[in-house]
Amino acid sequence: MSRRVVRQSKFRHVFGQAAKADQAYEDIRVSKVTWDSSFCAVNPKFLAIIVEAGGGGAFIVLPLAKTGRVDKNYPLVTGHTAPVLDIDWCPHNDNVIASASDDTTIMVWQIPDYTPMRNITEPIITLEGHSKRVGILSWHPTARNVLLSAGGDNVIIIWNVGTGEVLLSLDDMHPDVIHSVCWNSNGSLLATTCKDKTLRIIDPRKGQVVAERARPHEGARPLRAVFTADGKLLSTSFSRLALWDLNNFEEPVALQEMDTSNGVLLPFYDPDSSIVYLCGKGDSSIRYFEITDEPPFVHYLNTFSSKEPQRGMGFMPKRGLDVSKCEIARFYKLHERKCEPIIMTVPRKSDLFQDDLYPDTPGPEPALEADEWLSGQDAEPVLISLRDGYVPPKHRELRVTKRNILDVRPPSGPRRSQSASDAPLSQHTLETLLEEIKALRERVQAQEQRITALENMLCELVDGTD
């Protein structure tokens, strides 16, 4: 009689568990917009959720520790004139978040460490370049201040947020609505899925589609795709998970059938454990699979199920997890009126740091500057150890340096409408304007510092009276 050999894996017994009721975030009016984004973004400091808002678009940002019932008057981040469709935290600054909206703009916000007393209405910068709604955002994994946006105009724009400039515009590659965009680990390639049912691998700096596969899955549901740690590609439809080798796009390396999901499957991939978690919008379960480098490559692990369907889902970066409890993933599941953490754990008896569960992971320091990446340089993420836990750095400001149109000197040749005697006067006027602008800028900065100091004093007074 043959004996079945059980596959060895430290992740075979990973189990999911919803956090206790007092660890949830209650009374949040989650957005009802019909858009296939996760509606939630989380990092080691903050939880951000797109919410219902009258007369425009808004999202709420809560410190992770502020669990329980959220006051109905809690300040929001407002500024968009139409619903917010996607949000994404900057991987290199835990106080910076970008939002995309139906109003065709992207806004980048600085979130203070203290709780503001009123709505945040002034973004650091507004990025305008799309002609239709913007529904997808994704920060570059290794280059500072590089942000990707994809809009209903079928265009992908890559921005330098530090200057407000367009670095690249990819406008001839997608004939229809873009459903998802994902960077690879060093940000040298993009994987996109589109309404035309084609999976594309794009080199953004060359402006080329380097590989594509038409109809990788049957069916009418939107596709999603993510890169794996070893450079392969995972694609999902509503009932299938496929693993692809970029050197051979004809047939998938592995194909996994699943129970039919009610909605779009949102894949969340953890490169440290090589586990992919599939969360269906409108579904009530999270299925997870381990990806290995030997056949059959994709191994089903388990399914976390709950009673209520999820409206959206946030995925915590590895540096935000509790390593003392062998936590390898944490999700933030959106209900209609609340957000509930779901914790994935590997059962271990020892209280010591588990090296095999926590290899060095991407930290908050960028490996490249925006212009270095644009010039053709690539670099892997700067890794940190989680052995002693992770402490988020203190508040860091994002400074935007827009190019000043006054720095561009006028042509040296004579103008038709200007006589030679007028030239010295124009130069003098220009210098005077520059001096006035410099003085105004200094005055505004001083006022901003004074307002921040007063808000901090007010917060201390309020905390003292409590």
PDB file of all heavy atoms in Angstrom, residues 131-156:
ATOM      1  N   SER A 131      -7.749  63.101 -18.381  1.00  0.00           N
ATOM      2  CA  SER A 131      -8.938  63.759 -18.916  1.00  0.00           C
ATOM      3  C   SER A 131     -10.230  63.110 -18.418  1.00  0.00           C
ATOM      4  O   SER A 131     -11.314  63.662 -18.611  1.00  0.00           O
ATOM      5  CB  SER A 131      -8.913  63.722 -20.447  1.00  0.00           C
ATOM      6  OG  SER A 131      -8.884  62.386 -20.912  1.00  0.00           O
ATOM      7  N   LYS A 132     -10.111  61.931 -17.785  1.00  0.00           N
ATOM      8  CA  LYS A 132     -11.274  61.260 -17.191  1.00  0.00           C
ATOM      9  C   LYS A 132     -10.926  60.811 -15.779  1.00  0.00           C
ATOM     10  O   LYS A 132      -9.802  61.027 -15.316  1.00  0.00           O
ATOM     11  CB  LYS A 132     -11.702  60.067 -18.055  1.00  0.00           C
ATOM     12  CG  LYS A 132     -12.269  60.472 -19.414  1.00  0.00           C
ATOM     13  CD  LYS A 132     -12.798  59.261 -20.177  1.00  0.00           C
ATOM     14  CE  LYS A 132     -13.379  59.683 -21.528  1.00  0.00           C
ATOM     15  NZ  LYS A 132     -13.847  58.518 -22.307  1.00  0.00           N
ATOM     16  N   ARG A 133     -11.873  60.174 -15.111  1.00  0.00           N
ATOM     17  CA  ARG A 133     -11.669  59.827 -13.709  1.00  0.00           C
ATOM     18  C   ARG A 133     -10.419  58.974 -13.506  1.00  0.00           C
ATOM     19  O   ARG A 133     -10.029  58.196 -14.360  1.00  0.00           O
ATOM     20  CB  ARG A 133     -12.895  59.090 -13.167  1.00  0.00           C
ATOM     21  CG  ARG A 133     -13.148  57.723 -13.769  1.00  0.00           C
ATOM     22  CD  ARG A 133     -14.412  57.142 -13.166  1.00  0.00           C
ATOM     23  NE  ARG A 133     -14.735  55.834 -13.692  1.00  0.00           N
ATOM     24  CZ  ARG A 133     -15.816  55.148 -13.341  1.00  0.00           C
ATOM     25  NH1 ARG A 133     -16.663  55.669 -12.476  1.00  0.00           N
ATOM     26  NH2 ARG A 133     -16.051  53.974 -13.846  1.00  0.00           N
ATOM     27  N   VAL A 134      -9.798  59.131 -12.346  1.00  0.00           N
ATOM     28  CA  VAL A 134      -8.586  58.380 -12.003  1.00  0.00           C
ATOM     29  C   VAL A 134      -8.967  57.338 -10.951  1.00  0.00           C
ATOM     30  O   VAL A 134      -9.451  57.689  -9.882  1.00  0.00           O
ATOM     31  CB  VAL A 134      -7.483  59.308 -11.459  1.00  0.00           C
ATOM     32  CG1 VAL A 134      -6.179  58.542 -11.294  1.00  0.00           C
ATOM     33  CG2 VAL A 134      -7.281  60.497 -12.397  1.00  0.00           C
ATOM     34  N   GLY A 135      -8.747  56.061 -11.282  1.00  0.00           N
ATOM     35  CA  GLY A 135      -9.222  55.004 -10.395  1.00  0.00           C
ATOM     36  C   GLY A 135      -8.156  54.105  -9.823  1.00  0.00           C
ATOM     37  O   GLY A 135      -8.440  53.240  -8.995  1.00  0.00           O
ATOM     38  N   ILE A 136      -6.888  54.282 -10.239  1.00  0.00           N
ATOM     39  CA  ILE A 136      -5.812  53.404  -9.766  1.00  0.00           C
ATOM     40  C   ILE A 136      -4.600  54.242  -9.389  1.00  0.00           C
ATOM     41  O   ILE A 136      -4.174  55.118 -10.146  1.00  0.00           O
ATOM     42  CB  ILE A 136      -5.411  52.382 -10.852  1.00  0.00           C
ATOM     43  CG1 ILE A 136      -6.583  51.459 -11.184  1.00  0.00           C
ATOM     44  CG2 ILE A 136      -4.196  51.557 -10.417  1.00  0.00           C
ATOM     45  CD1 ILE A 136      -6.338  50.560 -12.390  1.00  0.00           C
ATOM     46  N   LEU A 137      -4.042  53.967  -8.203  1.00  0.00           N
ATOM     47  CA  LEU A 137      -2.807  54.608  -7.738  1.00  0.00           C
ATOM     48  C   LEU A 137      -1.834  53.541  -7.271  1.00  0.00           C
ATOM     49  O   LEU A 137      -2.249  52.535  -6.681  1.00  0.00           O
ATOM     50  CB  LEU A 137      -3.085  55.557  -6.573  1.00  0.00           C
ATOM     51  CG  LEU A 137      -3.833  56.852  -6.846  1.00  0.00           C
ATOM     52  CD1 LEU A 137      -4.098  57.567  -5.529  1.00  0.00           C
ATOM     53  CD2 LEU A 137      -3.054  57.751  -7.785  1.00  0.00           C
ATOM     54  N   SER A 138      -0.537  53.759  -7.491  1.00  0.00           N
ATOM     55  CA  SER A 138       0.469  52.831  -6.976  1.00  0.00           C
ATOM     56  C   SER A 138       1.817  53.540  -6.895  1.00  0.00           C
ATOM     57  O   SER A 138       2.338  54.022  -7.896  1.00  0.00           O
ATOM     58  CB  SER A 138       0.579  51.592  -7.880  1.00  0.00           C
ATOM     59  OG  SER A 138       1.500  50.676  -7.343  1.00  0.00           O
ATOM     60  N   TRP A 139       2.383  53.607  -5.676  1.00  0.00           N
ATOM     61  CA  TRP A 139       3.699  54.219  -5.494  1.00  0.00           C
ATOM     62  C   TRP A 139       4.784  53.263  -5.980  1.00  0.00           C
ATOM     63  O   TRP A 139       4.657  52.043  -5.874  1.00  0.00           O
ATOM     64  CB  TRP A 139       3.943  54.529  -4.020  1.00  0.00           C
ATOM     65  CG  TRP A 139       3.103  55.626  -3.467  1.00  0.00           C
ATOM     66  CD1 TRP A 139       1.873  55.495  -2.886  1.00  0.00           C
ATOM     67  CD2 TRP A 139       3.416  57.026  -3.415  1.00  0.00           C
ATOM     68  NE1 TRP A 139       1.402  56.719  -2.476  1.00  0.00           N
ATOM     69  CE2 TRP A 139       2.323  57.672  -2.787  1.00  0.00           C
ATOM     70  CE3 TRP A 139       4.502  57.772  -3.828  1.00  0.00           C
ATOM     71  CZ2 TRP A 139       2.304  59.049  -2.568  1.00  0.00           C
ATOM     72  CZ3 TRP A 139       4.488  59.141  -3.608  1.00  0.00           C
ATOM     73  CH2 TRP A 139       3.396  59.783  -2.985  1.00  0.00           C
ATOM     74  N   HIS A 140       5.867  53.832  -6.482  1.00  0.00           N
ATOM     75  CA  HIS A 140       7.020  53.034  -6.899  1.00  0.00           C
ATOM     76  C   HIS A 140       7.638  52.371  -5.664  1.00  0.00           C
ATOM     77  O   HIS A 140       7.776  53.006  -4.622  1.00  0.00           O
ATOM     78  CB  HIS A 140       8.048  53.933  -7.592  1.00  0.00           C
ATOM     79  CG  HIS A 140       9.115  53.197  -8.329  1.00  0.00           C
ATOM     80  ND1 HIS A 140      10.157  52.582  -7.680  1.00  0.00           N
ATOM     81  CD2 HIS A 140       9.304  52.960  -9.655  1.00  0.00           C
ATOM     82  CE1 HIS A 140      10.954  52.004  -8.585  1.00  0.00           C
ATOM     83  NE2 HIS A 140      10.442  52.219  -9.787  1.00  0.00           N
ATOM     84  N   PRO A 141       8.014  51.088  -5.750  1.00  0.00           N
ATOM     85  CA  PRO A 141       8.490  50.384  -4.546  1.00  0.00           C
ATOM     86  C   PRO A 141       9.865  50.818  -4.055  1.00  0.00           C
ATOM     87  O   PRO A 141      10.170  50.643  -2.875  1.00  0.00           O
ATOM     88  CB  PRO A 141       8.528  48.912  -4.987  1.00  0.00           C
ATOM     89  CG  PRO A 141       8.633  48.961  -6.479  1.00  0.00           C
ATOM     90  CD  PRO A 141       7.904  50.194  -6.912  1.00  0.00           C
ATOM     91  N   THR A 142      10.715  51.408  -4.924  1.00  0.00           N
ATOM     92  CA  THR A 142      12.081  51.715  -4.475  1.00  0.00           C
ATOM     93  C   THR A 142      12.531  53.150  -4.743  1.00  0.00           C
ATOM     94  O   THR A 142      13.518  53.588  -4.160  1.00  0.00           O
ATOM     95  CB  THR A 142      13.099  50.773  -5.165  1.00  0.00           C
ATOM     96  OG1 THR A 142      13.059  50.986  -6.581  1.00  0.00           O
ATOM     97  CG2 THR A 142      12.793  49.321  -4.872  1.00  0.00           C
ATOM     98  N   ALA A 143      11.846  53.903  -5.604  1.00  0.00           N
ATOM     99  CA  ALA A 143      12.276  55.269  -5.947  1.00  0.00           C
ATOM    100  C   ALA A 143      11.449  56.300  -5.174  1.00  0.00           C
ATOM    101  O   ALA A 143      10.229  56.184  -5.090  1.00  0.00           O
ATOM    102  CB  ALA A 143      12.148  55.515  -7.450  1.00  0.00           C
ATOM    103  N   ARG A 144      12.128  57.297  -4.645  1.00  0.00           N
ATOM    104  CA  ARG A 144      11.455  58.312  -3.826  1.00  0.00           C
ATOM    105  C   ARG A 144      10.505  59.174  -4.660  1.00  0.00           C
ATOM    106  O   ARG A 144      10.850  59.637  -5.749  1.00  0.00           O
ATOM    107  CB  ARG A 144      12.514  59.214  -3.170  1.00  0.00           C
ATOM    108  CG  ARG A 144      11.953  60.169  -2.109  1.00  0.00           C
ATOM    109  CD  ARG A 144      12.936  61.282  -1.776  1.00  0.00           C
ATOM    110  NE  ARG A 144      14.260  60.806  -1.457  1.00  0.00           N
ATOM    111  CZ  ARG A 144      14.661  60.449  -0.230  1.00  0.00           C
ATOM    112  NH1 ARG A 144      13.818  60.504   0.776  1.00  0.00           N
ATOM    113  NH2 ARG A 144      15.905  60.039  -0.033  1.00  0.00           N
ATOM    114  N   ASN A 145       9.289  59.366  -4.115  1.00  0.00           N
ATOM    115  CA  ASN A 145       8.315  60.317  -4.678  1.00  0.00           C
ATOM    116  C   ASN A 145       7.845  59.996  -6.089  1.00  0.00           C
ATOM    117  O   ASN A 145       7.402  60.889  -6.812  1.00  0.00           O
ATOM    118  CB  ASN A 145       8.873  61.753  -4.656  1.00  0.00           C
ATOM    119  CG  ASN A 145       9.068  62.281  -3.256  1.00  0.00           C
ATOM    120  OD1 ASN A 145       8.498  61.747  -2.303  1.00  0.00           O
ATOM    121  ND2 ASN A 145       9.898  63.295  -3.103  1.00  0.00           N
ATOM    122  N   VAL A 146       7.924  58.729  -6.505  1.00  0.00           N
ATOM    123  CA  VAL A 146       7.436  58.345  -7.828  1.00  0.00           C
ATOM    124  C   VAL A 146       6.077  57.659  -7.663  1.00  0.00           C
ATOM    125  O   VAL A 146       5.957  56.663  -6.951  1.00  0.00           O
ATOM    126  CB  VAL A 146       8.430  57.414  -8.553  1.00  0.00           C
ATOM    127  CG1 VAL A 146       7.850  56.935  -9.887  1.00  0.00           C
ATOM    128  CG2 VAL A 146       9.751  58.143  -8.789  1.00  0.00           C
ATOM    129  N   LEU A 147       5.055  58.220  -8.312  1.00  0.00           N
ATOM    130  CA  LEU A 147       3.686  57.746  -8.158  1.00  0.00           C
ATOM    131  C   LEU A 147       3.075  57.450  -9.521  1.00  0.00           C
ATOM    132  O   LEU A 147       3.196  58.253 -10.449  1.00  0.00           O
ATOM    133  CB  LEU A 147       2.838  58.809  -7.433  1.00  0.00           C
ATOM    134  CG  LEU A 147       1.349  58.520  -7.260  1.00  0.00           C
ATOM    135  CD1 LEU A 147       1.116  57.334  -6.328  1.00  0.00           C
ATOM    136  CD2 LEU A 147       0.622  59.757  -6.718  1.00  0.00           C
ATOM    137  N   LEU A 148       2.406  56.306  -9.630  1.00  0.00           N
ATOM    138  CA  LEU A 148       1.715  55.931 -10.871  1.00  0.00           C
ATOM    139  C   LEU A 148       0.218  56.139 -10.711  1.00  0.00           C
ATOM    140  O   LEU A 148      -0.349  55.840  -9.659  1.00  0.00           O
ATOM    141  CB  LEU A 148       2.019  54.462 -11.183  1.00  0.00           C
ATOM    142  CG  LEU A 148       1.323  53.813 -12.384  1.00  0.00           C
ATOM    143  CD1 LEU A 148       2.221  52.708 -12.959  1.00  0.00           C
ATOM    144  CD2 LEU A 148      -0.029  53.190 -12.013  1.00  0.00           C
ATOM    145  N   SER A 149      -0.405  56.637 -11.774  1.00  0.00           N
ATOM    146  CA  SER A 149      -1.867  56.758 -11.785  1.00  0.00           C
ATOM    147  C   SER A 149      -2.392  56.227 -13.113  1.00  0.00           C
ATOM    148  O   SER A 149      -1.735  56.341 -14.142  1.00  0.00           O
ATOM    149  CB  SER A 149      -2.303  58.217 -11.589  1.00  0.00           C
ATOM    150  OG  SER A 149      -1.843  59.022 -12.663  1.00  0.00           O
ATOM    151  N   ALA A 150      -3.579  55.620 -13.060  1.00  0.00           N
ATOM    152  CA  ALA A 150      -4.232  55.132 -14.280  1.00  0.00           C
ATOM    153  C   ALA A 150      -5.663  55.642 -14.282  1.00  0.00           C
ATOM    154  O   ALA A 150      -6.360  55.586 -13.262  1.00  0.00           O
ATOM    155  CB  ALA A 150      -4.208  53.609 -14.335  1.00  0.00           C
ATOM    156  N   GLY A 151      -6.111  56.150 -15.441  1.00  0.00           N
ATOM    157  CA  GLY A 151      -7.416  56.788 -15.509  1.00  0.00           C
ATOM    158  C   GLY A 151      -8.356  56.150 -16.508  1.00  0.00           C
ATOM    159  O   GLY A 151      -7.984  55.257 -17.280  1.00  0.00           O
ATOM    160  N   GLY A 152      -9.585  56.646 -16.486  1.00  0.00           N
ATOM    161  CA  GLY A 152     -10.604  56.195 -17.426  1.00  0.00           C
ATOM    162  C   GLY A 152     -10.318  56.613 -18.859  1.00  0.00           C
ATOM    163  O   GLY A 152     -11.022  56.203 -19.786  1.00  0.00           O
ATOM    164  N   ASP A 153      -9.271  57.436 -19.049  1.00  0.00           N
ATOM    165  CA  ASP A 153      -8.848  57.810 -20.396  1.00  0.00           C
ATOM    166  C   ASP A 153      -7.882  56.779 -20.990  1.00  0.00           C
ATOM    167  O   ASP A 153      -7.279  57.030 -22.040  1.00  0.00           O
ATOM    168  CB  ASP A 153      -8.192  59.200 -20.371  1.00  0.00           C
ATOM    169  CG  ASP A 153      -7.120  59.329 -19.282  1.00  0.00           C
ATOM    170  OD1 ASP A 153      -6.761  58.305 -18.669  1.00  0.00           O
ATOM    171  OD2 ASP A 153      -6.644  60.459 -19.040  1.00  0.00           O
ATOM    172  N   ASN A 154      -7.721  55.631 -20.277  1.00  0.00           N
ATOM    173  CA  ASN A 154      -6.850  54.521 -20.719  1.00  0.00           C
ATOM    174  C   ASN A 154      -5.377  54.908 -20.731  1.00  0.00           C
ATOM    175  O   ASN A 154      -4.571  54.298 -21.448  1.00  0.00           O
ATOM    176  CB  ASN A 154      -7.251  53.993 -22.104  1.00  0.00           C
ATOM    177  CG  ASN A 154      -8.743  53.746 -22.222  1.00  0.00           C
ATOM    178  OD1 ASN A 154      -9.431  53.555 -21.225  1.00  0.00           O
ATOM    179  ND2 ASN A 154      -9.251  53.761 -23.443  1.00  0.00           N
ATOM    180  N   VAL A 155      -5.014  55.909 -19.948  1.00  0.00           N
ATOM    181  CA  VAL A 155      -3.636  56.411 -19.898  1.00  0.00           C
ATOM    182  C   VAL A 155      -3.039  56.110 -18.525  1.00  0.00           C
ATOM    183  O   VAL A 155      -3.715  56.252 -17.501  1.00  0.00           O
ATOM    184  CB  VAL A 155      -3.594  57.928 -20.169  1.00  0.00           C
ATOM    185  CG1 VAL A 155      -2.183  58.482 -20.003  1.00  0.00           C
ATOM    186  CG2 VAL A 155      -4.114  58.233 -21.567  1.00  0.00           C
ATOM    187  N   ILE A 156      -1.761  55.704 -18.527  1.00  0.00           N
ATOM    188  CA  ILE A 156      -0.987  55.574 -17.292  1.00  0.00           C
ATOM    189  C   ILE A 156       0.001  56.733 -17.250  1.00  0.00           C
ATOM    190  O   ILE A 156       0.733  56.965 -18.211  1.00  0.00           O
ATOM    191  CB  ILE A 156      -0.238  54.232 -17.240  1.00  0.00           C
ATOM    192  CG1 ILE A 156      -1.234  53.073 -17.073  1.00  0.00           C
ATOM    193  CG2 ILE A 156       0.776  54.213 -16.094  1.00  0.00           C
ATOM    194  CD1 ILE A 156      -0.592  51.695 -17.147  1.00  0.00           C
TER     195      ILE A 156
END
